[in-house]
Amino acid sequence: MPVFPNATSPSLPAPMRAELRRDVLRGLGSPQKWLPPKWLYDAHGSELFEQITELPEYYPNRAEREILVARSSEIAAATGARTLVELGSGASGEKSRLLLDALRTRQSGIAYVPVDVSSSALSQAADALRAEYPGLTVAPVVGDFTADLELPPVDGPRLVAFLGGTFGNLLPAERAVFLRTLRAQLAPGDGLLLGCDLVKDPAVIRAAYDDPTGVASSRGESHPPALSEPCLIVSDHTAPIVQSFAVTA
């Protein structure tokens, strides 16, 4: 049984509670049952996902982290960002720290805006980052960036990071809407850091999302994203690719 927030949970803003009700009625009322993966990420679901990312079979997180360790300084130099906006930030903030360290090395006054559907995950991550980075402006936003994306008015240039392969959870039509909506909100000088993957042997993907230890199954059956060779793409607000960073797996 998937772990997702109660539709009446006060931790969810009213529009998201209404959206959750619609998704449950539509998805579980269909002949083939489904739910958007975003509803797996309440406090417990986020904690379980952090455990999944550390499993040997879960290559996406390991590969993406390796890229950021090797390339964060180049990404910071290419974007010159003063604010890091992370969509689907989760609770750990591990990758955020790699980017924040690189950005703070280049200039002071960096701000961090994590965006997530889980208020508890946001609170946990924000508290930890404020303690670890005195003076860092952390402005969490509870929201569903796939439905009502609205970037906060913060100092630019902004680097919008969409990591973890979450982009692969969206259907093709949803990806197109998301990218158009995001592009319309980016200003000159802003950048997008997108974590993505290419098509792989289904057995590799199944192993990543259905591990032998049963951690993934305890989180519920999730829709496996279309993953492939790990890469991070930096683009400017007009959408063409400026630079790509990758490592050999």
Side-chain angles (χ1 to χ4, degrees):
M1 186 80 179
V3 179
F4 55 90
N6 188 293
T8 60
S9 171
S11 65
L12 286 175
M16 291 181 63
R17 293 201 299 271
E19 183 185 0
L20 175 55
R21 291 190 188 97
R22 288 194 299 269
D23 285 344
V24 169
L25 290 172
R26 184 174 51 173
L28 300 187
S30 300
Q32 183 173 351
K33 311 302 179 188
W34 60 272
L35 282 175
K38 63 190 176 187
W39 300 124
L40 295 169
Y41 295 95
D42 65 351
H44 182 56
S46 296
E47 179 182 346
L48 284 174
F49 183 69
E50 295 300 333
Q51 296 177 31
I52 292 170
T53 62
E54 297 303 322
L55 295 171
E57 297 83 3
Y58 195 79
Y59 68 89
N61 186 68
R62 184 171 59 253
E64 196 170 68
R65 181 170 51 201
E66 184 179 345
I67 294 170
L68 289 173
V69 167
R71 304 293 190 177
S72 285
S73 294
E74 295 176 52
I75 294 169
T79 62
R82 292 184 56 83
T83 298
L84 173 63
V85 180
E86 185 175 8
L87 305 180
S89 54
S92 75
E94 178 189 20
K95 298 170 191 172
S96 315
R97 286 170 171 80
L98 294 171
L99 290 168
L100 287 170
D101 287 342
L103 293 172
R104 283 163 59 91
T105 297
R106 295 184 58 83
Q107 58 185 316
S108 60
I110 297 297
Y112 176 56
V113 180
V115 182
D116 203 277
V117 294
S118 172
S119 59
S120 56
L122 281 172
S123 178
Q124 178 182 332
D127 289 346
L129 286 169
R130 290 189 185 107
E132 188 173 341
Y133 296 93
L136 176 68
T137 299
V138 183
V141 175
V142 179
D144 175 12
F145 53 82
T146 65
D148 53 0
L149 176 62
E150 185 174 347
L151 298 182
V154 292
D155 291 340
R158 299 170 297 183
L159 173 60
V160 179
F162 191 22
L163 305 175
T166 307
F167 188 67
N169 288 351
L170 304 178
L171 297 174
E174 294 172 327
R175 295 173 197 168
V177 171
F178 168 78
L179 291 174
R180 283 197 300 268
T181 303
L182 177 59
R183 180 182 178 184
Q185 296 196 43
L186 295 180
D190 288 346
L192 170 65
L193 182 65
L194 179 65
C196 56
D197 211 349
L198 300 177
V199 176
K200 280 194 171 62
D201 183 337
V204 174
I205 300 176
R206 289 194 195 99
Y209 289 87
D210 188 16
D211 63 283
T213 62
V215 175
S217 61
S218 67
R219 180 172 168 264
E221 295 293 331
S222 62
H223 173 68
L227 300 171
S228 75
E229 296 306 323
C231 65
L232 291 177
I233 301 169
V234 178
S235 71
D236 66 16
H237 79 290
T238 58
I241 295 173
V242 173
Q243 196 168 358
S244 64
F245 306 88
V247 295
T248 303

